[in-house]
Amino acid sequence: MTTIETKSGISRTRMRGVGRAAVRGLGLALVLLPGAVLCFTLSLVSIALIPIGVGIVTTPWVLTGVRAFADWRRVLAAEWCGVQIPSAYRPIPKDANPWARTFAMLRDPATWRDLLWLPVDMTAGFFTALLPAVLLFYPLEGFALAAGLWRVFADTADGAYWYGFVRVSDQASAFGAAALGLVLLFFAHFLTPRLLEAHFRLTRAVLASNQGELAERVRVLTETRRDAVDTSAAELRRIERDLHDGAQARLVAMGMDLGTIEILLDKNPEQARKLLAQARQSSVDALAELRDLVRGIHPPVLAERGLGDAVRALALRLPVATEVQVELPGRADAPVESAAYFAVSEVLTNAVKHADADRIWVDLHHVAEGAGMLRISVTDNGRGGAVIGAGSGLAGVERRLGTFDGVLAVSSPAGGPTMVTMEIPCALS
């Protein structure tokens, strides 16, 4: 009995999937045809008007719309059929003038892939999107002919009506149309979801380019390498400045005090004792500054006990109640742990300084699927409004994670809460 119920449940699920694919394909076909024609026409007209100056203003807006249309299809491909279509548009400066924006977009190979895709989408793409619905709903006409509808068509079409390759002129041929509809329905049961997937694979074949993706990958690596070099140089300058202005100055002052003590030891022992106490305090302060500096370079607790305990120790020093949850079955490579630690430290510092929060939650766990992913989320109940922008601490975190192909996502509506999610590809040992 359980086996029968299980098979029945699987059959119902499959039928729902077939119906869903057909309806989605039909809706997509009805939207993509006018959308592709409109985008293609506006693009050609706008680009043609560039020599007289009008296109300089209109082309960025039109191409942005084309990109939004293509990105919408990328989202549908991923959500409906699991087909990943990478988006590899080159970034355009926000403060660029229309002339620079126009020619930056026209120099982008992804723009020309979009324009090549539009005519393919309005022809082969329309057909492959519509085919799942045709394969599922066309058999209904065959069944209707067998039920007596053939008589209506026979009276108005010289006594015959074609259903596919079956000439319907009497009840026997109408049953033949129903048989053909049954065969089509049988194939629809197996092919409809695959046909919709084939539509999105066709879209990926035109929109995605291995060469373009490789070039984009090289560009991203070049940028992240430059950011890493700049960050390292800034970090070295910070360490040098802290040593020069902090511990070094204290050690120099302590050496001068010791020289004065040697002179005063016989002449003025009382003053010598005061200077000894001052030198002792200078040595304590210098040692504390050196410890802070070492902790800023690579915290000992991170090296000795790993990322989880290092973040817990970091949370204990915060003036805001912080709850840390760690699920890490092993340890990542030292550079990854260091990047993750300082990224969390920066996000927590931002939450304490700017969020006006009274509670923070930190979650660290590792996703083992694929090559592995270290996922960290920092949530606070503050006032929200955090954004990733130039000059913000989150922009620095994004650059730090980008060195390891990591990503940063921020959800921070006005009024809060704020949730910062960080992901770094890595395996645990």
Side-chain angles (χ1 to χ4, degrees):
M1 183 66 178
T2 303
T3 303
I4 295 175
E5 290 178 354
T6 302
K7 290 182 178 179
S8 176
I10 294 174
S11 178
R12 285 196 299 270
T13 302
R14 187 174 185 84
M15 287 305 298
R16 282 197 297 269
V18 170
R20 184 167 55 245
V23 172
R24 285 175 171 176
L26 178 60
L28 183 58
L30 295 177
V31 174
L32 75 84
L33 182 59
V37 171
L38 180 63
C39 288
F40 188 65
T41 304
L42 290 178
S43 298
L44 290 183
V45 172
S46 183
I47 293 174
L49 293 176
I50 289 178
I52 64 174
V54 177
I56 297 295
V57 178
T58 60
T59 299
W61 295 97
V62 172
L63 294 182
T64 299
V66 172
R67 292 184 175 189
F69 185 63
D71 284 338
W72 171 66
R73 301 295 286 282
R74 290 183 174 96
V75 172
L76 292 186
E79 291 183 352
W80 287 0
C81 296
V83 177
Q84 302 295 330
I85 306 176
S87 179
Y89 299 115
R90 294 177 180 175
I92 301 174
K94 294 182 179 180
D95 56 349
N97 57 49
W99 181 277
R101 289 179 62 85
T102 297
F103 287 96
M105 298 179 84
L106 291 178
R107 284 194 297 266
D108 190 348
T111 297
W112 298 103
R113 287 200 299 270
D114 288 348
L115 297 179
L116 175 64
W117 164 69
L118 290 173
V120 174
D121 195 42
M122 68 179 72
T123 52
F126 174 76
F127 175 75
T128 53
L130 189 61
L131 193 57
V134 171
L135 199 58
L136 182 62
F137 299 130
Y138 189 54
L140 300 180
E141 183 183 348
F143 301 148
L145 291 171
L149 186 64
W150 69 271
R151 293 185 177 87
V152 177
F153 292 112
D155 293 339
T156 59
D158 299 329
Y161 175 79
W162 286 94
Y163 176 76
F165 58 82
V166 178
R167 186 175 184 273
V168 181
S169 58
D170 53 23
Q171 188 63 51
S173 57
F175 282 134
L180 177 58
L182 192 62
V183 172
L184 292 176
L185 194 62
F186 173 78
F187 282 107
H189 181 72
F190 295 99
L191 297 180
T192 296
R194 296 179 182 177
L195 288 172
L196 185 61
E197 182 179 348
H199 165 81
F200 288 117
R201 290 190 180 276
L202 173 64
T203 302
R204 182 175 66 181
V206 183
L207 283 181
S209 170
N210 291 334
Q211 183 177 1
E213 186 176 351
L214 180 59
E216 180 66 16
R217 176 65 175 160
V218 171
R219 184 189 65 80
V220 171
L221 288 176
T222 301
E223 288 186 357
T224 55
R225 183 186 64 181
R226 184 173 61 249
D227 290 339
V229 171
D230 292 343
T231 302
S232 298
E235 189 71 10
L236 287 175
R237 288 193 298 270
R238 181 189 67 83
I239 293 171
E240 181 182 14
R241 184 177 62 252
D242 289 347
L243 285 173
H244 182 273
D245 298 340
Q248 178 179 324
R250 293 187 183 277
L251 291 174
V252 170
M254 185 172 64
M256 294 174 63
D257 289 340
L258 291 175
T260 305
I261 290 170
E262 286 181 336
I263 297 173
L264 295 176
L265 195 58
D266 295 328
K267 298 179 180 179
N268 192 345
E270 185 64 28
Q271 184 64 25
R273 280 194 294 272
K274 290 181 181 180
L275 290 176
L276 277 173
Q278 184 176 329
R280 186 185 304 112
Q281 185 60 43
S282 295
S283 68
V284 171
D285 293 340
L287 183 59
E289 288 184 0
L290 287 173
R291 286 174 176 170
D292 291 338
L293 186 62
V294 170
R295 189 180 294 112
I297 298 172
H298 194 78
V301 66
L302 179 62
E304 296 170 3
R305 303 181 60 180
L307 180 61
D309 286 339
V311 172
R312 288 192 181 98
L314 186 64
L316 290 175
R317 298 196 297 269
L318 296 179
V320 177
T322 304
E323 181 180 335
V324 180
Q325 183 175 357
V326 180
E327 294 181 12
L328 298 177
R331 294 192 60 174
D333 293 338
V336 174
E337 283 192 336
S338 179
Y341 173 84
F342 287 108
V344 173
S345 176
E346 182 67 30
V347 173
L348 289 175
T349 301
N350 284 349
V352 171
K353 287 184 177 180
H354 309 298
D356 195 23
D358 56 23
R359 193 162 186 84
I360 301 175
W361 295 267
V362 182
D363 177 76
L364 297 89
H365 63 276
H366 186 263
V367 180
E369 289 137 357
M373 182 78 68
L374 176 63
R375 186 169 296 157
I376 307 169
S377 64
V378 181
T379 308
D380 66 69
N381 61 352
R383 59 190 176 190
V387 293
I388 304 175
S392 73
L394 292 177
V397 172
E398 187 176 41
R399 288 194 299 270
R400 184 187 293 272
L401 298 180
T403 308
F404 299 90
D405 285 343
V407 294
L408 173 73
V410 179
S411 173
S412 184
T418 296
M419 182 175 183
V420 179
T421 303
M422 296 164 279
E423 293 185 348
I424 305 177
C426 70
L428 300 185
S429 59

